[in-house]
Amino acid sequence: MRAGRSRDGGIAFAIVIVLVALNLRAFLTSSSPLLEPIRIATGIGFHAVALLTVLPMFAMGGTSLFGAAVGQRIGARGGVGLGLAAIALACASRYVTGGAAALLWSAALAGAGVGLVQALMPGVVKQAYPARIGVMTGLYSAAIMGGGGLGAMASPWVAHAFGGAQPDWHAGLSIWSLLAVFALLYWLNMRRMEFTADAPRQGLSWLRCFASRRAWLLAGCFGLINGGYTSLVAWLPHFYAQQGWTAQQGGSVLALMTAAQVVSALAMPAIARSRGRDLRPWLVLTLAAQLAGFCALTFDAPAPAVAIAVVLGFGLGGAFSLCIVLALDHLPDPAQAGALAGFMQGVGFMIAALAPFVAGWVREHTGGFTLAWAYLAAVAVALLPLMLRFDPRRYAASTAGLFDVRGALPGAPSLAALDGAATRKV
């Protein structure tokens, strides 16, 4: 089956997309519920422990920027495979990691692998499923969030299963190497799937995005939105631990939040696409949910933790997947759209990496997270007017000259054509 010639990549390829995506957050969320035993064993402080989230996020961002270039040299199949191998190696090394430095290096290596995968997968999904971009991007995003939920819930359980009264955090963190290896083998076994993105093409350099105001707007919004996610991944279980909750209970709340993210990430693009190409009302809805959740945490609202987690998960998961669709919608060619999405994620994740670091600084100097939650609520308010700028009628004008049209794929269908509108020149 050739993705470039088929309107549907098939069920088998959808399964492998899910397997790959499950590996992109599990290593990140697995450390948060095990924060206390990790701190006791390594002596790492609250300010420095934020680096377990900050370093991989920066690595994700930096590698995402170069991911498109890597894909053009070794192909999407080789690039994603290399990213999965890096994740597997990083997670496996945590079984023998003894100190804080080695643990942080493993986080950075895993983040680099994730960045490489994330730079290439949106373009691959768009190429394999051009007529189902909303549904398949939702599935891909939901699987990412689902992997985060697995990491938060399963890692404490594995740690207790191997360590008993003294949780074996090494086992809890390293178990995810098995999932990465399985996904890698499955991915490499898809030999008949040919990606047109594998061929080097002119006009696809992500460096052009640095001169695009629209690319920077997408990256800024994506980064600020994901700052809420990275902060909650890093600190939500510890926030509840301050209230006397166990690591398993804190991890369960984080897993519940990611479960809500899965549902929202899967449903929101499909619902939004069924109503047309204008994603702005749905982006505003997800930001409103984030605002409600962070306000509840800030003012210690008398609401159950599970309700707050579900509201936040709905807002964060829906916004993440809608942002991916938003970037892909701007350009009809999958390789060009993938390069733009890679830039958005690359710069965006480096912006998002700052949020948990700030939250850790607040925790260390104030003893709590109230100011951190208030800051994230303010970010949601600031993003609301920015969402209104993403008028689909302005996509072509906002990306004019971004890529050389000679880089377009021969015969690649435009999104306008797929949506039943008149084909327009980009």
Side-chain angles (χ1 to χ4, degrees):
M1 179 186 303
R2 297 187 179 220
R5 299 181 182 178
S6 172
R7 295 178 63 86
D8 188 344
I11 296 176
F13 195 55
I15 293 174
V16 79
I17 287 173
V18 170
L19 283 176
V20 171
L22 287 174
N23 287 275
L24 304 186
R25 293 295 182 274
F27 83 96
L28 195 64
T29 58
S30 62
S31 59
S32 186
L34 299 173
L35 185 58
E36 282 307 307
I38 290 174
R39 288 187 62 245
I40 293 172
T42 62
I44 192 171
F46 282 109
H47 191 57
V49 80
L51 292 174
L52 286 174
T53 302
V54 172
L55 278 180
M57 294 302 291
F58 266 111
M60 283 184 205
T63 311
S64 290
L65 290 177
F66 293 96
V70 173
Q72 290 179 48
R73 287 185 175 273
I74 66 175
R77 182 167 173 264
V80 172
L82 181 61
L84 288 171
I87 297 171
L89 178 61
C91 292
S93 71
R94 291 180 162 188
Y95 192 74
V96 295
T97 296
L103 185 61
L104 293 174
W105 276 112
S106 71
L109 177 60
V114 170
L116 184 55
V117 174
Q118 288 184 156
L120 298 172
M121 285 301 290
V124 168
V125 172
K126 183 180 175 77
Q127 179 64 46
Y129 301 92
R132 303 182 182 184
I133 185 64
V135 172
M136 294 309 300
T137 299
L139 179 64
Y140 167 69
S141 301
I144 292 178
M145 304 303 172
L150 286 176
M153 178 170 286
S155 289
W157 183 86
V158 172
H160 282 284
F162 278 79
Q166 297 295 326
D168 186 353
W169 59 271
H170 293 89
L173 299 185
S174 63
I175 191 68
W176 303 108
S177 62
L178 300 179
L179 179 62
V181 169
F182 182 70
L184 174 61
L185 294 176
Y186 203 130
W187 174 262
L188 295 178
N189 191 50
M190 298 294 290
R191 297 175 181 174
R192 291 184 298 171
M193 178 63 69
E194 298 180 11
F195 305 114
T196 53
D198 285 353
R201 217 171 279 115
Q202 296 180 352
L204 299 183
S205 174
W206 54 267
L207 291 172
R208 296 184 180 215
C209 293
F210 280 98
S212 170
R213 294 175 61 184
R214 178 50 58 98
W216 280 104
L217 179 61
L218 286 166
C221 291
F222 184 79
L224 291 172
I225 286 173
N226 279 279
Y229 172 75
T230 55
S231 296
L232 291 170
V233 165
W235 297 114
L236 189 62
H238 183 71
F239 169 73
Y240 285 114
Q242 287 185 306
Q243 303 179 25
W245 291 36
T246 66
Q248 190 72 49
Q249 290 172 325
S252 296
V253 172
L254 185 58
L256 180 63
M257 185 192 81
T258 56
Q261 285 180 289
V262 169
V263 175
S264 181
L266 184 61
M268 289 303 292
I271 294 174
R273 184 62 95 210
S274 70
R275 303 299 178 90
R277 295 188 61 208
D278 193 349
L279 303 180
R280 291 175 295 175
W282 310 100
L283 286 165
V284 168
L285 176 62
T286 59
L287 285 173
Q290 292 179 46
L291 177 60
F294 284 123
C295 283
L297 292 176
T298 300
F299 299 108
D300 195 21
V306 293
I308 296 174
V310 168
V311 170
L312 284 169
F314 168 81
L316 293 167
F320 177 88
S321 59
L322 287 173
C323 281
I324 299 294
V325 176
L326 183 66
L328 294 176
D329 271 2
H330 273 72
L331 293 160
D333 174 55
Q336 293 177 347
L340 178 60
F343 178 85
M344 179 189 74
Q345 293 179 89
V347 175
F349 280 128
M350 287 190 279
I351 295 173
L354 299 175
F357 194 76
V358 171
W361 183 89
V362 169
R363 165 63 180 84
E364 194 163 39
H365 288 81
T366 68
F369 293 97
T370 300
L371 292 179
W373 305 144
Y375 160 74
L376 293 170
V379 167
V381 173
L383 283 168
L384 287 171
L386 294 179
M387 293 299 108
L388 301 180
R389 299 185 61 181
F390 295 114
D391 186 341
R393 295 171 297 183
R394 300 287 300 166
Y395 287 168
S398 65
T399 56
L402 180 57
F403 292 112
D404 187 344
V405 294
R406 290 175 300 172
L409 296 176
S414 68
L415 288 173
L418 291 173
D419 285 341
T423 302
R424 53 178 170 75
K425 182 179 179 181
V426 178

